[in-house]
Amino acid sequence: MDGHDTCGHHGHGPAAHGPARTAELVARAERLAQDLGLQFTALRRRTLEVVAEEGRPLGAYDIAERLSAPGKRVAAVSVYRALDFLTEHGLVHRIASRNAFVPCEHGHGAGESAVFLICRSCGSVDETISAEIERSLDRTLAQAGFKPASRIVEIEGECGTCQGRQEAG
Amino acid sequence: MDGHDTCGHHGHGPAAHGPARTAELVARAERLAQDLGLQFTALRRRTLEVVAEEGRPLGAYDIAERLSAPGKRVAAVSVYRALDFLTEHGLVHRIASRNAFVPCEHGHGAGESAVFLICRSCGSVDETISAEIERSLDRTLAQAGFKPASRIVEIEGECGTCQGRQEAG
DNA sequence: GCCTTGCCTGTTACAGTGTAACGATCGGCG
DNA sequence: CGCCGATCGTTACACTGTAACAGGCAAGGC
Ligand SMILES: [Zn+2]
Ligand SMILES: [Zn+2]
Ligand SMILES: [Zn+2]
Ligand SMILES: [Zn+2]
């Protein structure tokens, strides 16, 4: 019953989606690993937490920097491998137009594809699911005789919060 | 009356869209430059021709290589600038998921956004326009209070030609 | 216990993508 | 001529992503 709630703040600050969302995602990852016999390792967990706690798309090198400590440096290549795992299982999504990653906000199956609304002003990314868009796409693909495997739908523009801000300012 | 004709071959070979399509695109560019008082320079023209004559998405560095002659090397940065011009005016499109560029096949206005069907087997890219998808997207965006500026819709999968090929082979 | 196997991670090196900055060139205009 | 704007050449650099190889570690068979 949440739909596309957008959380009301849109990431105007580092607080992001909060620890609640993060814990939810981690729990989902643990269930998933349990069920499929996969390893939800410490690196994968920390990578997921970093992505989930940031309120905007993060590059792999940014993630590596956040995971690194003065004595313990995490190389970007390790982050890429963790991100491969997380994206394959739908825990994070890659934003192709930004070369960056965001946490999944919906727990959708592999069949449902998401629409990403990317704000040019504040950099927030909102993930929504629309059955109507799915149907339109499926119809067009069937008509063209094209068998889809993965879908990328990314809209750049201005989110509701930033529109109000500009009008008021 | 062409719609999404797909040309029947889907780029299975270097012949691409043929010189006819290329000339058509160049003519469109010249009209556009004439009307808006822009400069359709030699570099921009040659870049457009290279992209149009290839039957698959080309990277900027590939384009630079094709434009270079033994004594005259074209740097990638120049190609990027030419591509900026061409994409801004809808003559070529950038495929975000491939970091590559394809010629526009439709002459659509800035308002109409395209759907790109990218075949994983043969690498061809088919550009289609669907008013139905546009409407679905607009409705979803309006509902979310999001003001769109540009849209990216890229579907990866298998084109009709390659499906038939695999069944038959 | 010990060895093998598979998976994950660390490390290095490298290829590919994209941009910033500066200077030269060219054409239009007073 | 001198100025100005746009384009282009050149260099240098930052960012993104992958290949290849070595070490660690847990599980399972002997
Ligand atoms: Zn998701
Ligand atoms: Zn915003
Ligand atoms: Zn087009
Ligand atoms: Zn194909």
Side-chain angles (χ1 to χ4, degrees), chain A residues 61 77 80-81 94 99:
Chain A
Y61 281 72
V77 61
Y80 275 110
R81 289 191 285 231
R94 181 178 140 85
N99 296 326

Side-chain angles (χ1 to χ4, degrees), chain A residues 119-122 158-169, chain B residues 147:
Chain A
C119 179
R120 283 177 175 169
S121 299
C122 66
E158 198 170 30
C159 75
T161 303
C162 288
Q163 286 176 58
R165 178 162 312 194
Q166 277 202 338
E167 290 168 12
Chain B
K147 196 169 81 181

Side-chain angles (χ1 to χ4, degrees), chain A residues 70-103:
Chain A
K72 178 76 173 172
R73 175 178 155 269
V74 175
V77 61
S78 297
V79 174
Y80 275 110
R81 289 191 285 231
L83 288 170
D84 285 343
F85 174 89
L86 296 172
T87 54
E88 273 172 22
H89 298 97
L91 296 164
V92 312
H93 297 296
R94 181 178 140 85
I95 306 296
S97 60
R98 296 289 181 103
N99 296 326
F101 300 83
V102 295

Side-chain angles (χ1 to χ4, degrees), chain B residues 56-74:
Chain B
R56 61 194 177 87
L58 267 185
Y61 281 72
D62 296 326
I63 298 171
E65 194 178 345
R66 277 168 179 67
L67 289 178
S68 295
K72 179 76 173 174
R73 175 179 155 269
V74 175

